[in-house]
Structures are given as C-alpha cells and as structure tokens.
Amino acid sequence: MAQRDGRHPTVLMLAPVHRNWGNRVVREAETLAEAGYAVTALMRCEQGKAEKNGVTYIPAPRAGSRIGRFVKLPLVLWQALLIRADIYHLHNPDMIPLAFCLRLLGKRVIYDTHEDYSRRLMARQWLPKYLRRPLSWIISFAERSLSRLVQAAFVTQDNQLSTFSSRTHLLRNAPSIPEKMRQDVLVTAGQVQRDEQVFRLVYAGGLSPGRGLFVMVDALDRLNSEGVAVRLWLMGPELEPCLVRAEERRGWAYVDYLGMQQHESVFAHMVRSDAGLAVLSDVGDHATARPSKLFEYMAWGLPFIATNFPVWRAFVEGKGGLWVEPDSVEVLVKAIRRLHSEEGLRCTLSEEGKSFAKTFDWAEESRILLSVYRELR
C-alpha cells in the first residue's frame, strides 16, 4: 500500500458536484491532510488544479446538467483509477454507481452521504411528483446496500444509523473556523459596506421555495412598508428555478443578491449582519437535518430566526435565536421586528450562540473521521 512517510495511505475524495471550498468535503480532506494523509480531491475547481492546505484539488469533468453528471461518470471513474489511491472516499448518491464499480475492482471505499436523500428527494420540485417516491426508494435501497459493501460509511443524521449497516458512523456537519480563517474573516468584514441605519439580515445556502426564499422576500416587503428599514444579504445557488419568481415580488427591492461567495466572504457578511435566517419549510428531511448555517451563525455570535423544528431546537437547547412556524410571513415579520427593537435580546442570543459553538465544532467531529481512517490502515 502506497503511504506517505511509511505511515498513511493515499486518499482520493470523489465529489465532482461540489466546489473545492467551504463544504464538508473540503473540511474532511484538509483534516486528513493535516493528519499526514496524502489527499487528492476530484471536485469542481473554477481555477483549475490547485494545492491548498495540503490537499491537491483536481478539476472533475464538467457536466452541464443533472443528466450530464451521469453521462460523465465513466470519465470520473477513469480519472479515479488513474490516480491509484489506497482509499476512495465518495460523496453523495451521484457517486453510488462508482462506489459499486470500485468495490467490484477490489478497491477500498468509504461512502459519505451529507443528507437523508430518501427524504430530501421528496422536496425536489424539479422532479415530477410521480417520480419522487420511486426514486427516493431506489436511492434509499442503494445507499443501504452500499453501506454493507464498503469499508465504512458516514451519515449526518441519527435516524439514518438504524437503516445503514453497522459499518456506518455518525459524522455531523459541525462548523470549522480555524483561527487563521477567523482573523482573515474579520479583516474582510471590515471591508463590507452597510448602512448602519438599516437592520441587516443574512441568508447563505441553497435557494428554493422550500428553503424559505419567498417567505423571506415577502417579509421584507411587509416590514419596509410598515416603516422598518430592513435589507437581506442573500447568497447561494438556485436548487431549482426560483430567482426569477423571487425578483418579481415587491420585497426583492430590499434584497442584495450576491450569488455564490467564498466561505470567508459568507462569514464576513455574517459578522456584519444583525440576524441570520433559516426559515425552511417542513418538507423532505428539513425537520430532522441539522443545518450547518445555524451553527455558523452561532459561531459568529449572530442571533438567528429559525423554523421551530423540535430536532433543531432540542439540539441547541432552544438557545441562540427565535423560533417560528414554517411558511408564515406574518410570524417571521413579528420575529424580525422583535429582534430589530430589542437590542438587549440580540446581545443575549449572541452570547448563547457563542457558548454553544464552543461545545460543537469540527475539531470534535473530526476525531470520528480520523478514528475510522486509522481502522482502515
């Protein structure tokens, strides 16, 4: 087995759908590299091949559509085999066919699913309704079967452990903010311009009606029409076509859409905001997932307004923010108005968030990742 310094096997992260910054794949890759593993990651690399924090990032074949992802799978497999890694770490259901192929070829494989896709697919508006349930069942069956064939699997939600094999480990999406990044973010935040007379909200993540896009925009319209000056920094990609419809709403006049931003820029805008939003609808696996943005808000001491899902609220012990029912513009307006008018409450929630963040971060979760890898040596 090829090893670095005679100790660690070489690792290939396969995540061609993911960009090579600011996500779970990058956190895992950099954690392994810091521990001494020779790590290569096949991902979406806008700037081409790159070396960063000990990880070699290689551009994956470009796919212009969802169908294109599957058409390009043979090329991804060919690239993976050329790299001749000791361990292949594959991310999300797109890679299931390759995981089976690699196991048939006798390769060591880890499967890593970032969400409960058996439920998440039920919320995909781009999928015809008659296909959602059958595809959800197929993906669920494939993931469960694969978990019995690979050397190890990682999931993000407790409920998945009962359906996956005993080789499966819970690896939660905890925030990772190293000290150097924290200092860089604070410098960048000093360059972010804002009107101090305007109450500033932020949302960073996938954009869709199910993620609360229209509710957020309509709340902005209501508040500003009532004389409460509020604006929203909005960052992230469309998960389904929705921006055109959002732009047609009156509240869009109070949105500053920044598109995709590097992780440091996202954090800098959080630092400069008054409150963060995570008002997702009760669809798919939203109610049982743990949204990383919530933990990132808390890590930066940013009060939040989030959907009142019992799993979310219990995990953070009800602290750090205000809780609202999903899909209600009126309830969201009341919560924003309350944070706007009660500076003392914002300070209290900020301190609660920072205290929680000290107990839940990537440094703790990364020990699980490294423990599993040590078992595979």
Side-chain angles (χ1 to χ4, degrees):
M1 178 180 290
Q3 296 179 345
R4 175 183 285 185
D5 297 331
R7 296 184 295 110
H8 296 308
T10 57
V11 178
L12 174 62
M13 291 275 178
L14 280 169
V17 174
H18 296 271
R19 290 176 171 83
N20 64 330
W21 45 267
N23 55 51
R24 177 183 176 94
V25 183
V26 173
R27 284 198 297 272
E28 293 176 359
E30 293 184 353
T31 295
L32 291 168
E34 185 178 0
Y37 292 83
V39 183
T40 301
L42 191 68
M43 304 179 72
R44 290 174 63 181
C45 304
E46 279 84 358
Q47 305 303 320
K49 184 176 179 179
E51 301 272 347
K52 185 177 180 182
N53 296 330
V55 180
T56 301
Y57 293 99
I58 297 178
R62 291 185 178 273
S65 65
R66 293 183 178 91
I67 294 177
R69 296 176 188 172
F70 294 95
V71 173
K72 294 296 181 72
L73 282 181
L75 284 177
V76 176
L77 177 61
W78 179 249
Q79 278 188 279
L81 292 174
L82 287 177
I83 292 173
R84 299 172 63 86
D86 298 311
I87 298 175
Y88 293 83
H89 190 142
L90 287 74
H91 293 261
N92 287 338
D94 307 69
M95 295 290 97
I96 289 176
L98 266 62
F100 279 112
C101 289
L102 289 167
R103 284 300 295 132
L104 287 173
L105 293 171
K107 306 298 183 182
R108 289 180 162 203
V109 174
I110 294 175
Y111 179 65
D112 194 332
T113 182
H114 301 186
E115 301 174 85
D116 185 350
Y117 285 94
S118 66
R119 299 185 185 184
R120 184 54 60 93
L121 285 175
M122 299 300 293
R124 294 293 195 238
Q125 296 298 315
W126 54 267
L127 270 177
K129 286 187 177 181
Y130 66 87
L131 285 179
R132 292 176 198 171
R133 192 167 298 280
L135 283 177
S136 175
W137 186 89
I138 291 170
I139 293 296
S140 179
F141 177 77
E143 286 190 320
R144 294 197 309 268
S145 301
L146 183 61
S147 72
R148 290 164 173 78
L149 293 176
V150 295
Q151 274 64 41
F154 292 118
V155 297
T156 60
Q157 299 177 32
D158 303 80
N159 62 289
Q160 293 173 285
L161 292 172
S162 62
T163 58
F164 281 60
S165 76
S166 59
R167 302 175 184 177
T168 305
H169 307 265
L170 181 66
L171 186 63
R172 300 172 298 186
N173 286 322
S176 175
I177 309 176
E179 185 57 30
K180 182 181 184 304
M181 176 187 285
R182 183 175 290 275
Q183 296 304 317
D184 291 343
V185 166
L186 294 176
V187 171
T188 303
Q191 302 167 358
V192 174
Q193 301 297 314
R194 62 161 288 184
D195 184 346
E196 299 297 338
Q197 302 304 312
V198 174
F199 193 71
R200 178 57 76 169
L201 302 171
V202 64
Y203 171 83
L207 304 178
S208 72
R211 299 276 180 124
L213 177 60
F214 297 158
V215 173
M216 292 188 288
V217 174
D218 290 347
L220 293 174
D221 177 50
R222 182 85 64 84
L223 286 159
N224 281 279
S225 66
E226 295 173 357
V228 182
V230 182
R231 295 193 68 86
L232 170 68
W233 274 319
L234 186 68
M235 293 168 275
E238 285 183 291
L239 298 181
E240 58 192 72
C242 59
L243 279 177
V244 171
R245 285 183 290 162
E247 291 167 359
E248 294 171 348
R249 302 171 111 87
R250 290 196 306 265
W252 189 260
Y254 308 104
V255 174
D256 298 299
Y257 179 53
L258 306 178
M260 293 292 296
Q261 293 286 313
Q262 293 279 350
H263 223 41
E264 288 82 356
S265 177
V266 171
F267 287 159
H269 284 84
M270 289 182 184
V271 170
R272 293 288 285 148
S273 296
D274 296 303
L277 298 178
V279 288
L280 283 63
S281 300
D282 189 5
V283 295
D285 68 337
H286 289 172
T288 56
R290 294 190 180 96
S292 56
K293 67 177 65 63
L294 209 65
F295 308 132
E296 290 169 349
Y297 293 155
M298 299 176 89
W300 291 105
L302 182 65
F304 61 79
I305 301 172
T307 307
N308 190 18
F309 293 136
V311 170
W312 292 16
R313 191 165 186 167
F315 190 73
V316 300
E317 300 177 345
K319 298 179 179 179
L322 301 182
W323 305 88
V324 299
E325 296 308 307
D327 306 316
S328 173
V329 174
E330 182 176 352
V331 172
L332 178 57
V333 165
K334 289 180 179 178
I336 295 173
R337 189 184 291 115
R338 186 181 176 196
L339 285 183
H340 173 268
S341 62
E342 298 183 32
E343 183 177 357
L345 174 62
R346 296 202 304 272
C347 291
T348 298
L349 296 175
S350 173
E351 292 303 316
E352 289 179 355
K354 287 187 284 189
S355 295
F356 174 82
K358 294 176 182 178
T359 68
F360 181 62
D361 63 15
W362 180 247
E364 293 296 320
E365 293 298 300
S366 66
R367 292 174 180 157
I368 299 170
L369 175 73
L370 295 174
S371 174
V372 170
Y373 265 82
R374 281 195 296 270
E375 293 175 2
L376 294 182
R377 287 173 55 183

